[in-house]
Amino acid sequence: MNSPSERKKARPHTVRGDAGFTLIELLVVLVILGLLAGMVGPQVLGYVGSSKSKAARVQLEQIAAALDLYRLDVGRYPTTQQGLKALAEAPAGVKGWSGPYLAKGSVPADPWGNPYAYKAPGRGRPFDVTSLGRDGREGGDGEDADISL
C-alpha cells in the first residue's frame, strides 16, 4: 500500500470548479464594482450637498422666528453689534429679554460649520441672516452659494 500508484488512488481528486475563484475572475468583479461606485458616488454626493443647503434654509427660518420673538419682547431687533448672540444671552442694558429664543440656548453654526452672518438693518428688511455656504465666503455657485432670507 506504500507504492506510488496506491498513494495516488488514496488521494481525493480535486475538481477544477472546487478550487475557488481565479485571479482574473476576482479582477473582473473588482472592475465592475469600481465602475458602479464611479457612477453612483457623484449622485450620492450631490444629494448630500443639496440636503445641507436645505438644512441651512430651515435653520435660517428658525433664526428668523427667534428674531421675531426677540422683537416682540424687547421692541426691536438686535443690533448688528449684538448679533445673533442676543438670541441666546441677554445683551447688557436690554429690558424685556425673556430668552433664550433658540433651542439648546446657543446659536447654531450653519451645516458647513461656519457662523451665520447677521446685519440689522438689512437690505429692504429689518435684518439679514446669511449662510455663506460651504466656502464661507460671499458669492459662489452650487454648495458655495450664499443662502439668506
Side-chain angles (χ1 to χ4, degrees):
M1 188 156 159
N2 287 338
S3 71
S5 63
E6 289 177 348
R7 274 187 255 148
K8 283 185 181 179
K9 290 180 184 176
R11 288 186 198 160
H13 291 345
T14 57
V15 179
R16 179 153 166 67
D18 292 340
F21 295 108
T22 65
L23 182 59
I24 291 176
E25 290 170 334
L26 289 174
L27 289 174
V28 168
V29 169
L30 288 175
V31 167
I32 291 170
L33 289 174
L35 289 172
L36 287 173
M39 290 187 293
V40 173
Q43 294 294 328
V44 171
L45 293 177
Y47 287 125
V48 170
S50 69
S51 67
K52 284 189 176 187
S53 296
K54 289 176 185 175
R57 288 188 202 289
V58 169
Q59 282 183 330
L60 286 171
E61 290 171 5
Q62 291 171 344
I63 291 170
L67 286 164
D68 289 338
L69 289 173
Y70 179 96
R71 185 174 101 9
L72 288 173
D73 288 344
V74 175
R76 61 172 176 76
Y77 290 104
T79 65
T80 301
Q81 291 76 24
Q82 292 169 333
L84 295 175
K85 187 176 179 183
L87 299 174
E89 300 173 11
V94 172
K95 295 181 181 175
W97 191 89
S98 63
Y101 297 95
L102 293 169
K104 300 181 185 177
S106 63
V107 180
D110 72 9
W112 297 277
N114 302 316
Y116 285 101
Y118 173 76
K119 184 178 177 184
R123 287 172 272 135
R125 296 187 53 158
F127 61 85
D128 285 334
V129 183
T130 306
S131 167
L132 298 177
R134 179 181 60 187
D135 64 356
R137 291 182 280 154
E138 288 189 23
D141 295 322
E143 282 187 72
D144 295 337
D146 300 347
I147 302 166
S148 61
L149 291 176

